[in-house]
């Protein structure tokens, strides 16, 4: 059996396993990576180098830096700012989406949602507003905000890694030229159109809100240090070229400072690292490497291009990539979807001799558009009971938002990242 065939078989296994989720995602990716190594498709050093890839290290460092904000209660304090600006339901939706969106751009979007869901439920119960009209904008803003920077979601770093492998330059705010308009249009959508699709219920009375932790015993200096470290790490990443320190080193320095100063204990820092993401990341990068080196990715690209016609328009290619990725991400893990689709998207771009940046960014952004189902992302699932939502509520509110995101991508990406510069 050829290496190309073996790689394609592992790709099929991975897709099916990711969709069914009978096996944990990280374990599936690792089975794939070890299987490719045992069959000689990739060598041992190549496989394990993916697990200590610079972007994996960046991810690990930011887990710790972000967790400090959650553990000290600083994230809660920032989230509580919504009450100062909100006087009506619409202004409350705007305030929630702005704060959640911005926080998700630099912290875990799932973590941000988890921390602020109890805050927003409390605001809803005290003010008399319906939880169901506030929680869905919150979780969608968490996904939209993930597109503001390369650390907004693990899938973002997979896109960065793919471009770096091809020798193309990346930047901290690489996704922001598309991500910022998407967040703004998402807010505008909910204020003028989306709020009409939100159900007007109090939520499931049987669903209990996870109680907000009491942070009154946390020293104020810990909260301040956690915020200062996050800001300094982000600034170091933005000015990476100027200071000559790579972004993964900046993340690790920030994590070390937080533990050294006692803001987080060593145990808390280690517990904050999501090993599922690390294993998923490392294993998926090994599969991506195999798709590239064996030509299996190029074979898939050839077949897709063949279906699109003899001389397909790159815009059509962008459209196909976005729709396929978006369809998958609503039924399986966003990170897993992005991991599967990026090597195929890169092969498609290379097949046409086009600059791959537009298709990579489109794939990453489409991978975050998990708005149409309650299982599209963890935050969607968290609020099903609390908001009293049904499957159709996600479809009614989420599909138009996906369409808005799609239109923005189709307009901006070819302009910002021309296919043939």
């Amino acid at each position: 059996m050829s290496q190309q065939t073996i790689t394609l078989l592992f790709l099929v296994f991975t897709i099916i396993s990711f969709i069914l989720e009978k096996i944990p995602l990280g374990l599936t990716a690792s089975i794939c990576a070890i299987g490719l190594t045992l069959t000689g498709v990739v060598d041992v050093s190549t496989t394990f180098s993916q697990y200590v890839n610079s972007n994996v290290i960046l991810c690990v460092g930011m887990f710790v830096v972000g967790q400090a904000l959650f553990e000290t209660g600083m994230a809660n304090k920032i989230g509580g700012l919504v009450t100062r600006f909100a006087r009506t339901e619409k202004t409350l939706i705007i305030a929630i989406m702005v704060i959640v969106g911005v926080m998700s751009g630099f912290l875990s979007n799932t973590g941000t949602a988890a921390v602020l869901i109890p805050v927003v439920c409390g605001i809803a119960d005290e003010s008399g507003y319906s939880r169901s009209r506030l929680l869905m904008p919150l979780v969608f803003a968490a996904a939209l905000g993930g597109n503001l920077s390369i650390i907004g979601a693990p899938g973002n770093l997979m896109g960065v890694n793919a471009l770096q492998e091809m020798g193309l330059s990346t930047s901290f705010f690489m996704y922001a030229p598309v991500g910022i308009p998407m967040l703004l249009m998402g807010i505008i959508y909910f204020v003028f159109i989306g709020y009409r699709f939100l159900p007007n219920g109090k939520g499931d009375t049987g669903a209990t809100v996870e109680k907000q932790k009491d942070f009154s015993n946390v020293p104020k200096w810990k909260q301040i240090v956690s915020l200062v470290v996050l800001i300094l790490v982000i600034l170091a990443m933005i000015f990476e070229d100027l200071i000559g320190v790579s972004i993964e080193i900046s993340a690790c320095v920030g994590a070390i400072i937080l533990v050294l100063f006692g803001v987080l204990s060593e145990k808390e820092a280690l517990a904050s690292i999501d090993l599922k993401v690390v294993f998923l990341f490392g294993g998926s990068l090994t599969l991506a490497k195999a798709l590239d080196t064996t030509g299996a990715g190029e074979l898939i690209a050839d077949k897709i291009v063949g279906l699109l016609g003899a001389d397909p328009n790159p815009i059509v290619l962008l459209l196909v990539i976005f729709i396929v990725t978006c369809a998958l991400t609503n039924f399986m893990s966003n990170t897993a979807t992005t991991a599967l689709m990026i090597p195929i998207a890169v092969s498609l771009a290379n097949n046409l001799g086009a600059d791959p940046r537009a298709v990579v960014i489109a794939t990453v952004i489409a991978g975050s558009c998990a708005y149409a189902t309650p299982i599209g992302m963890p935050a969607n699932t968290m609020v099903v009971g609390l908001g009293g939502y049904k499957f159709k509520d996600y479809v009614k509110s989420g599909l138009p938002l996906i369409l808005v995101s799609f239109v923005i991508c189709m307009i901006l990406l070819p302009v910002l990242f021309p296919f043939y510069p």
Side-chain angles (χ1 to χ4, degrees):
M1 194 181 293
S2 70
Q3 290 190 342
Q4 195 175 76
T5 305
I6 293 169
T7 303
L8 290 172
L9 287 172
F10 273 110
L11 175 64
V12 171
F13 158 74
T14 305
I15 292 170
I16 294 170
S17 187
F18 278 172
I19 292 171
L20 297 177
E21 282 200 57
K22 297 295 184 185
I23 304 172
L25 298 176
L27 182 56
T28 293
S30 293
I31 290 170
C32 180
I34 298 301
L36 288 166
T37 308
L38 288 172
T39 52
V41 176
V42 291
D43 58 43
V44 175
S45 61
T46 299
T47 298
F48 289 105
S49 66
Q50 308 310 312
Y51 287 88
V52 288
N53 175 287
S54 61
N55 288 303
V56 176
I57 301 301
L58 169 60
C59 208
V60 168
M62 288 311 297
F63 277 137
V64 178
V65 173
Q67 188 65 20
L69 246 71
F70 299 132
E71 286 292 331
T72 61
M74 196 64 198
N76 266 62
K77 191 172 283 189
I78 295 169
L81 290 172
V82 293
T83 52
R84 296 187 185 180
F85 304 106
R87 294 290 178 270
T88 65
E89 185 180 71
K90 284 188 179 181
T91 56
L92 191 52
I93 288 173
I94 292 170
I96 289 169
M97 291 189 75
V98 168
I99 288 177
V100 172
V102 172
M103 286 177 66
S104 294
F106 307 102
L107 303 170
S108 156
N109 41 25
T110 303
T112 299
V115 164
L116 296 187
I117 284 168
V119 175
V120 170
C121 283
I123 293 168
D125 295 345
E126 286 173 22
S127 60
Y129 294 123
S130 170
R131 288 181 182 180
S132 63
R133 301 187 61 80
L134 302 178
L135 291 174
M136 197 171 282
L138 183 156
V139 295
F140 288 177
L144 287 165
N147 296 317
L148 298 185
S149 75
I150 64 171
I151 60 171
N156 295 14
L157 289 172
M158 291 181 175
V160 170
N161 191 76
L163 295 177
Q164 289 174 345
E165 290 274 314
M166 291 180 285
L168 295 171
S169 62
T170 58
S171 65
F172 185 76
F173 289 116
M174 183 175 80
Y175 300 106
V178 181
I180 292 173
M182 276 179 58
L183 177 59
L184 292 175
M185 288 304 296
I187 294 170
I188 291 169
Y189 158 75
F190 266 110
V191 169
F192 292 102
I193 302 169
Y195 77 95
R196 298 177 187 176
F197 302 133
L198 295 170
N200 195 9
K202 287 292 180 185
D204 182 359
T205 52
T208 55
V209 186
E210 187 178 330
K211 286 187 177 179
Q212 294 182 50
K213 283 176 67 176
D214 179 14
F215 296 104
S216 59
N217 61 339
V218 177
K220 194 167 184 179
W221 69 265
K222 284 191 175 184
Q223 295 183 334
I224 294 168
V225 171
S226 68
L227 183 59
V228 169
V229 168
L230 174 67
I231 292 169
L232 290 176
V233 167
I234 291 169
L235 287 174
M237 290 177 175
I238 294 169
F239 298 106
E240 175 189 10
D241 293 336
L242 190 65
I243 63 175
V245 178
S246 61
I247 56 177
E248 64 272 15
I249 295 296
S250 296
C252 290
V253 168
I256 289 168
I257 289 171
L258 289 166
V259 176
L260 279 178
F261 277 73
V263 177
L264 288 176
S265 68
E266 182 188 19
K267 188 175 180 180
E268 287 171 333
L270 290 171
S272 72
I273 299 168
D274 191 343
L275 288 177
K276 296 191 297 292
V277 172
V278 173
F279 283 120
L280 175 58
F281 211 143
S284 299
L285 289 179
T286 304
L287 176 59
K289 182 70 75 175
L291 286 167
D292 179 37
T293 56
T294 64
E298 191 177 340
L299 179 66
I300 295 168
D302 283 339
K303 297 295 181 186
I304 296 173
V305 170
L307 291 172
L308 296 177
D311 188 23
N313 188 312
I315 297 290
V316 176
L317 171 66
L318 205 60
L319 184 148
V320 170
I321 286 287
F322 194 98
I323 291 174
V324 171
T325 307
C326 202
L328 285 173
T329 199
N330 275 282
F331 296 96
M332 57 191 272
S333 157
N334 311 17
T335 311
T337 301
T338 308
L340 284 174
M341 290 301 298
I342 278 178
I344 295 170
V346 168
S347 295
L348 283 166
N350 290 338
N351 193 284
L352 295 179
D355 188 321
R357 286 177 297 175
V359 290
V360 166
I361 293 172
T363 305
V364 170
I365 288 174
S368 71
C369 291
Y371 314 126
T373 69
I375 58 170
M377 51 189 173
N380 286 12
T381 311
M382 287 178 196
V383 298
V384 172
L386 295 171
Y389 298 123
K390 295 180 173 62
F391 191 95
K392 66 179 181 181
D393 294 323
Y394 287 89
V395 176
K396 280 162 56 177
S397 294
L399 275 181
L401 184 57
I402 289 173
L403 183 61
V404 168
S405 300
F406 172 74
V407 170
I408 291 171
C409 277
M410 290 301 110
I411 292 171
L412 292 181
L413 283 173
V415 176
L416 297 170
F417 306 99
F419 293 106
Y420 303 107

